[in-house]
Amino acid sequence: MDKGMNCFHKTLCYTSPAHGGWGMVRIGMSVPDSFQIFFSPPACGRHGAISSVLHRYRNRLAYYFLEEKDVVSGGYEKQIFDAVDLVLKRLKKKPRAMLLFVTCIDDLMGTDLEELTLELKDRFQEIDFTFCHMDPIRNDSKLPPPQNIQHQMYALLEKKELKKDTVNCIGNLMPIDEDCELYSILNHMGIKNINHILNCRDYDEFKNMASAYCNLMISPNGAAAVKSMNNTIGIPYEEVAVSYDLDIIQNQYKKLMNTLASNISQKEKQAINTIISYMEEQAVNEVENTKKLIGNIPIYIDSSAVAHPYELAWFLHRKGFLIKGIFAEKPSESEKEAFQNLVAVCSDIQIVLPQHPKTMIRSQDIKDTFSIGFEAAYTTQSRYVLDLFSDEGMFGYYGVIKLMKMMRKCYENPVDLKKLLDSYGLVV
Amino acid sequence: MYLPPYAPDYSGVCSALFELSGIVVIHDAGGCTGNYTGYDEPRWYGSESAVFCSGLREMDAVLGLDNELMEKIKIVCNERKSPTNFIAILGSPVPMLIGSDMKGIASELEKQIHIPCFGLDTNGFHIYHKGIAMAEKAIAERFVKQPKTKKERGINILGMTPIDFSLNENSEDLKKLLLKWGYDIISCFSMGASLKNIAEAAQAKINLVVSQGGMQLAQWMEKKYHIPYVAGIAMGKHGEICLQKTLEKALEHQKSYIIGKYEYKKDTFEKNTASNFDLPKRILFLGEQVQGISWRAAYREKHEHDYIQIGCIFGRDDELAEYGDIPLFDESDVIKLFLSEKYDVVIADPLFEELIPNEKREHTKFVKFPHIAVSSKIYWDSVPRFIEEKFESYK
């Protein structure tokens, strides 16, 4: 495997059995009381439909399959209205919102989705509409599908009066675990409501996310959404993407203090500092204990597990762990420094594009290595596989502590990768 | 609203070419390849079959960067340690929209790298068996050699992929039967054969078509090499009798046959299906057509008066169909059929069960017969061994 930036050249893409994520359908299902209709060639709907059966939300999803003539003629707008009408007639309980999905071909056909949204709102006034895109053809654009879906989901929110005691967590697919120190720290800052879309019990609660005083961008996939909400409904945002680097975590809390806690009492500030010191100490201990247990086992990290694999690798390297390889795309702007440090210091580190054709050649047998993430585990045949996807539930010092505990647990009780993949139900 | 879209044409191509040591490239952005690798190919985990996505992006499509695609393929080809037997370049919805000339790209690439290249116009709007047909014919046209001699009981199997046969012992069970009956299996399109076997396929005296996907190749080989075919598989003990008889007849007369096909006349059909006619049972088999007709043939060995209708969910091949077998183009056709007709037994993929109206469920026995092109990984471990002797679809 190459190292350095030249390893990111364009290539044919291999699709590992360990590749995938939530998929657009499942992410879109986070909007409560919503219903989805896909307008696509039949094939494009297959993986989402099968997954919807496996994840048990098939009753919230319908498909309108385009025919070749729809594509050749370049327009199927009328069918969109007909399909919406038909679905609404068939549903016993009307949804509050409809997510209408289009695919790669619409990016090229130039379907006027904004105009269609207005017309739909006009015709079906009791329902909110948003067009979403399942268009991997734009994976390299400024608005790739994982960002765009969140952008379009939150486009359903309408301007409300902002409440100082409310913030939203945006971008993370699952809520941060309840045991994370973020909640108590925010409480000491006077924040009583910490929203996440999956915790909204109904559509009204979701719409009330528009009254948050600040959006916390927990995952980079929320970037477009928070920027857009800042512009359209006036919610400012802070970028505090999940990190496992103790220095970065400390800076994130400082940033939150400046934004959200400028007026709190000295007593509250002290309480916050106490929590931060305590949790930091715990995290340091956990890191040391984990290093003692797993020693110099080579570690691979992949971007399916964490949004910032280079940053995590650089942190672990500094703590004495042996980083063997990283399965990830080109580093984002925020990770360039970590990437350059790693390449400079770790002479034999492997930087691997997860979709590179060479990754299909697996190790012949199980190796005594450790993989944080499924794709790395599949190719390297690591004995120890950390079952983490997309930083789920992680944040702050709690995230570091949990990660370390998970590493020790899977070191002591290795689990079969295939079983992990089957149970997780990854979607392409 | 309920059924997933069926496995698409490009999945059929990939499945048919999986074992032949070529490079298969789906010209798409990622989702199409993911459909195949994640949902239509039970062999994918642990395999090193070279099926890749071209990584198509918007600017590639807008600017028509076919050269870039060819360069990517050349790099992979050069870096490969094992020899590349061929390269297949497949279309998807976007290439169809922008009018990419898959055959032209393949032809140009072949001139440059001197490896057989095929361009196949899949587009994701058609069903998997069209892809199987396309791939098997492309391979045969390119690699099958004119025979110098014929093998007396030489036979080819056409249209066999895990999409129809799953990964259990079905394919092996069928091959064992043919060997037991004294046939010499020359090649199996497309499970368990090499290009070397395929090159000798024209030495056969007969072809056995085991899925709708194999029909096109069978007809082509009949025309070009005068090899007749039998369409059918042996489903259970009674199916064995049927298939063996049909094969022997076809071999003897050098004429093609469809397993168990009744040449119904319209009036006989209407008499048999009239609502006042006291038939023991009305059975609907919803699924792949060759499996359906084979099941019917086997069943009729025991119960010749029951009426069995095949609901051709993947399209009806008229040559395989009997009068009364119906094409069901989508879910709404199936729902309409259930509403208008009364069946005692329905045999189908488990996902169809939801489509039976509530008021009819009590009187209809539903027999689960999973098909990967419908329910993919949801039930692919539950596909029955339908070739083995003890198989009975329902009791």
Side-chain angles (χ1 to χ4, degrees):
Chain A
M1 308 284 176
D2 295 326
K3 74 171 184 178
M5 296 298 271
N6 62 351
C7 61
F8 300 113
H9 61 265
K10 277 191 167 184
T11 169
L12 292 181
C13 303
Y14 166 64
T15 308
S16 159
H19 175 71
W22 272 35
M24 295 298 116
V25 176
R26 188 172 168 200
I27 297 172
M29 288 293 169
S30 306
V31 178
D33 300 331
S34 66
F35 192 94
Q36 299 178 10
I37 308 179
F38 266 74
F39 296 89
S40 70
C44 304
R46 182 154 170 81
H47 54 274
I50 298 287
S51 305
S52 72
V53 177
L54 291 167
H55 288 113
R56 298 178 192 284
Y57 41 70
R58 189 71 187 94
N59 57 351
R60 291 176 61 197
L61 173 67
Y63 285 88
Y64 177 88
F65 295 131
L66 305 183
E67 295 176 26
E68 284 164 290
K69 63 178 164 54
D70 297 322
V71 178
V72 174
S73 68
Y76 59 94
E77 284 87 349
K78 187 183 172 302
Q79 288 96 311
I80 291 179
F81 294 103
D82 293 346
V84 169
D85 195 37
L86 180 70
V87 166
L88 288 175
K89 278 179 184 151
R90 281 200 193 170
L91 290 174
K92 283 179 191 154
K93 189 182 171 210
K94 300 278 172 285
R96 296 286 303 280
M98 289 189 112
L99 279 63
L100 308 179
F101 278 82
V102 292
T103 58
C104 299
I105 55 171
D106 286 88
D107 295 336
L108 299 164
M109 285 163 71
T111 314
D112 188 349
L113 300 178
E114 280 184 26
E115 182 60 29
L116 281 171
T117 311
L118 292 175
E119 279 186 56
L120 283 161
K121 280 181 180 165
D122 192 42
R123 202 179 292 192
F124 306 97
Q125 290 183 2
E126 70 282 19
I127 291 166
D128 291 342
F129 291 93
T130 185
F131 273 96
C132 302
H133 298 257
M134 188 181 74
D135 54 351
I137 200 166
R138 283 193 171 161
N139 267 347
D140 61 351
S141 73
K142 286 182 180 164
L143 195 54
Q147 280 201 45
N148 199 4
I149 176 78
Q150 303 224 23
H151 175 266
Q152 291 303 106
M153 281 155 54
Y154 291 108
L156 290 162
L157 300 184
E158 290 160 307
K159 195 168 175 56
K160 287 195 171 190
E161 193 179 333
L162 304 189
K163 292 180 180 168
K164 278 208 153 188
D165 64 351
T166 303
V167 296
N168 295 326
C169 295
I170 303 291
N172 47 332
L173 299 176
M174 292 289 278
I176 296 166
D177 290 353
E178 286 178 4
D179 295 337
C180 178
E181 76 277 357
L182 176 70
Y183 295 105
S184 46
I185 288 173
L186 289 175
N187 283 341
H188 283 292
M189 292 177 182
I191 309 292
K192 304 295 174 213
N193 305 307
I194 301 146
N195 298 324
H196 183 272
I197 190 168
L198 281 186
N199 289 334
C200 297
R201 285 165 296 187
D202 56 32
Y203 193 64
D204 290 329
E205 277 196 15
F206 166 68
K207 292 281 270 191
N208 281 337
M209 288 179 81
S211 62
Y213 183 70
C214 183
N215 278 328
L216 309 183
M217 193 200 82
I218 306 296
S219 158
N221 284 336
V226 294
K227 283 174 192 161
S228 173
M229 282 191 270
N230 189 17
N231 294 334
T232 55
I233 55 175
I235 304 179
Y237 64 91
E238 277 299 343
E239 294 185 10
V240 283
V242 176
S243 176
Y244 303 91
D245 186 314
L246 300 179
D247 296 338
I248 293 174
I249 295 168
Q250 196 179 51
N251 283 334
Q252 287 179 336
Y253 280 122
K254 275 185 193 159
K255 207 166 16 168
L256 291 180
M257 286 284 278
N258 290 336
T259 310
L260 301 170
S262 52
N263 295 326
I264 62 168
S265 67
Q266 211 47 44
K267 193 179 151 197
E268 297 290 9
K269 277 185 186 163
Q270 205 169 355
I272 291 169
N273 286 334
T274 306
I275 295 170
I276 289 176
S277 303
Y278 173 76
M279 291 301 288
E280 187 176 12
E281 194 183 326
Q282 295 291 309
V284 169
N285 289 341
E286 292 288 346
V287 172
E288 282 172 5
N289 290 341
T290 308
K291 173 69 183 93
K292 268 184 213 158
L293 182 72
I294 74 167
N296 275 335
I297 288 185
I299 297 175
Y300 294 92
I301 301 173
D302 91 46
S303 53
S304 67
V306 294
H308 290 149
Y310 298 105
E311 196 182 279
L312 173 60
W314 179 231
F315 170 72
L316 291 178
H317 169 79
R318 277 159 31 224
K319 295 296 172 189
F321 291 87
L322 176 61
I323 304 300
K324 182 77 177 167
I326 296 168
F327 283 60
E329 297 274 350
K330 216 183 217 177
S332 61
E333 208 50 49
S334 67
E335 283 201 291
K336 267 193 182 151
E337 196 182 330
F339 172 80
Q340 280 156 359
N341 289 338
L342 277 169
V343 174
V345 173
C346 309
S347 58
D348 58 348
I349 194 166
Q350 297 171 346
I351 308 291
V352 183
L353 262 179
Q355 72 273 23
H356 195 283
K358 284 183 180 174
T359 57
M360 71 188 286
I361 312 295
R362 303 177 77 193
S363 295
Q364 291 298 307
D365 44 27
I366 303 284
K367 294 274 188 288
D368 264 335
T369 57
F370 199 114
S371 282
I372 299 175
F374 299 145
E375 285 194 81
Y378 178 80
T379 297
T380 61
Q381 291 253 47
S382 292
R383 185 179 308 282
Y384 311 105
V385 186
L386 192 114
D387 176 16
L388 176 65
F389 176 76
S390 198
D391 297 306
E392 279 179 7
M394 302 296 212
F395 190 81
Y397 299 111
Y398 165 84
V400 180
I401 294 167
K402 186 176 173 186
L403 182 76
M404 293 299 131
K405 285 181 175 167
M406 288 171 81
M407 284 176 80
R408 295 204 298 272
K409 189 179 167 197
C410 73
Y411 178 75
E412 284 161 346
N413 306 293
V415 184
D416 178 61
L417 175 66
K418 186 148 192 321
K419 280 185 191 153
L420 280 178
L421 290 172
D422 288 345
S423 66
Y424 198 87
L426 293 169
V427 183
V428 177
Chain B
M1 299 266 285
Y2 298 101
L3 291 178
Y6 303 140
D9 48 9
Y10 49 71
S11 288
V13 172
C14 295
S15 188
L17 301 181
F18 186 88
E19 296 180 358
L20 298 176
S21 300
I23 292 177
V24 180
V25 181
I26 305 180
H27 195 23
D28 83 306
C32 302
T33 310
N35 262 336
Y36 167 65
T37 60
Y39 299 86
D40 297 330
E41 184 48 85
R43 296 169 291 188
W44 193 243
Y45 192 98
S47 89
E48 289 183 5
S49 183
V51 179
F52 300 115
C53 159
S54 68
L56 181 66
R57 294 292 171 261
E58 198 169 17
M59 288 315 288
D60 303 332
V62 171
L63 301 173
L65 299 177
D66 295 341
N67 282 338
E68 200 162 286
L69 169 64
M70 289 193 273
E71 287 308 312
K72 287 181 184 176
I73 296 173
K74 279 195 253 180
I75 291 169
V76 171
C77 214
N78 291 336
E79 287 178 350
R80 241 179 144 215
K81 284 180 184 154
S82 50
T84 300
N85 285 340
F86 60 87
I87 292 163
I89 309 169
L90 281 52
S92 70
V94 167
M96 187 200 86
L97 175 70
I98 61 174
S100 296
D101 178 5
M102 308 317 292
K103 290 188 170 70
I105 295 170
S107 164
E108 180 59 36
L109 185 62
E110 182 166 338
K111 278 183 206 155
Q112 294 178 27
I113 60 173
H114 310 294
I115 292 173
C117 297
F118 312 105
L120 298 170
D121 289 322
T122 51
N123 60 17
F125 286 84
H126 300 288
I127 292 175
Y128 74 102
H129 66 72
K130 293 202 171 175
I132 295 174
M134 230 184 253
E136 291 191 347
K137 186 157 172 271
I139 285 287
E141 281 177 335
R142 194 65 184 251
F143 294 106
V144 173
K145 290 181 185 151
Q146 193 69 35
K148 286 179 188 149
T149 54
K150 288 275 187 183
K151 287 188 177 169
E152 230 9 76
R153 289 181 73 80
I155 191 167
N156 298 308
I157 300 171
L158 312 184
M160 182 180 270
T161 69
I163 300 180
D164 292 309
F165 281 74
S166 177
L167 271 196
N168 58 21
E169 290 84 349
N170 282 330
S171 62
E172 288 309 309
D173 287 343
L174 186 62
K175 288 176 193 170
K176 278 180 201 161
L177 272 183
L178 294 175
L179 293 174
K180 190 173 92 179
W181 297 337
Y183 288 97
D184 180 359
I185 301 172
I186 296 173
S187 71
C188 175
F189 293 73
S190 303
M191 288 175 85
S194 63
L195 275 188
K196 187 174 171 291
N197 304 139
I198 283 172
E200 293 165 356
Q203 293 176 19
K205 289 282 272 191
I206 191 150
N207 282 328
L208 176 62
V209 181
V210 298
S211 74
Q212 283 171 266
M215 283 297 280
Q216 198 181 334
L217 178 57
Q219 288 155 350
W220 180 79
M221 288 182 82
E222 184 178 47
K223 203 169 166 190
K224 187 166 170 77
Y225 299 111
H226 311 292
I227 305 173
Y229 58 89
V230 166
I233 52 177
M235 294 184 97
K237 192 171 70 181
H238 297 282
E240 282 186 26
I241 299 166
C242 264
L243 183 64
Q244 192 179 11
K245 273 195 300 196
T246 316
L247 277 171
E248 291 303 326
K249 193 164 64 173
L251 194 63
E252 186 187 337
H253 301 300
Q254 282 294 289
K255 190 180 163 212
S256 297
Y257 289 94
I258 307 299
I259 193 168
K261 186 166 176 176
Y262 272 17
E263 294 303 332
Y264 263 128
K265 290 199 171 75
K266 193 168 180 247
D267 55 343
T268 323
F269 171 79
E270 283 172 356
K271 190 179 136 200
N272 281 1
T273 56
S275 55
N276 59 355
F277 190 77
D278 186 21
L279 287 168
K281 276 198 182 82
R282 282 173 63 88
I283 299 170
L284 176 69
F285 185 103
L286 281 178
E288 201 281 327
Q289 210 176 350
V290 174
Q291 291 180 3
I293 61 171
S294 304
W295 187 90
R296 174 165 59 194
Y299 185 83
R300 276 182 185 155
E301 290 283 319
K302 295 188 291 183
H303 312 279
E304 63 176 318
H305 295 300
D306 288 353
Y307 173 61
I308 304 150
Q309 190 174 23
I310 311 299
C312 308
I313 59 171
F314 304 134
R316 183 179 64 186
D317 184 318
D318 289 341
E319 194 186 335
L320 297 171
E322 281 184 7
Y323 192 88
D325 291 347
I326 36 173
L328 299 165
F329 295 107
D330 57 30
E331 182 180 314
S332 60
D333 288 340
V334 180
I335 293 171
K336 276 181 212 156
L337 182 71
F338 282 142
L339 286 170
S340 63
E341 299 289 330
K342 182 172 170 285
Y343 295 103
D344 300 293
V345 181
V346 172
I347 301 162
D349 185 277
L351 293 185
F352 280 91
E353 193 169 9
E354 265 192 271
L355 305 185
I356 300 175
N358 285 337
E359 64 274 17
K360 294 197 173 177
R361 285 190 188 184
E362 201 182 321
H363 308 289
T364 307
K365 183 181 172 73
F366 187 86
V367 180
K368 292 177 181 173
F369 193 74
H371 195 288
I372 290 176
V374 179
S375 56
S376 171
K377 57 171 68 171
I378 303 171
Y379 295 111
W380 70 24
D381 290 332
S382 314
V383 175
R385 277 180 74 175
F386 48 72
I387 307 289
E388 68 173 354
E389 195 180 343
K390 63 184 178 196
F391 172 75
E392 257 188 292
S393 189
Y394 85 100
K395 288 169 188 162

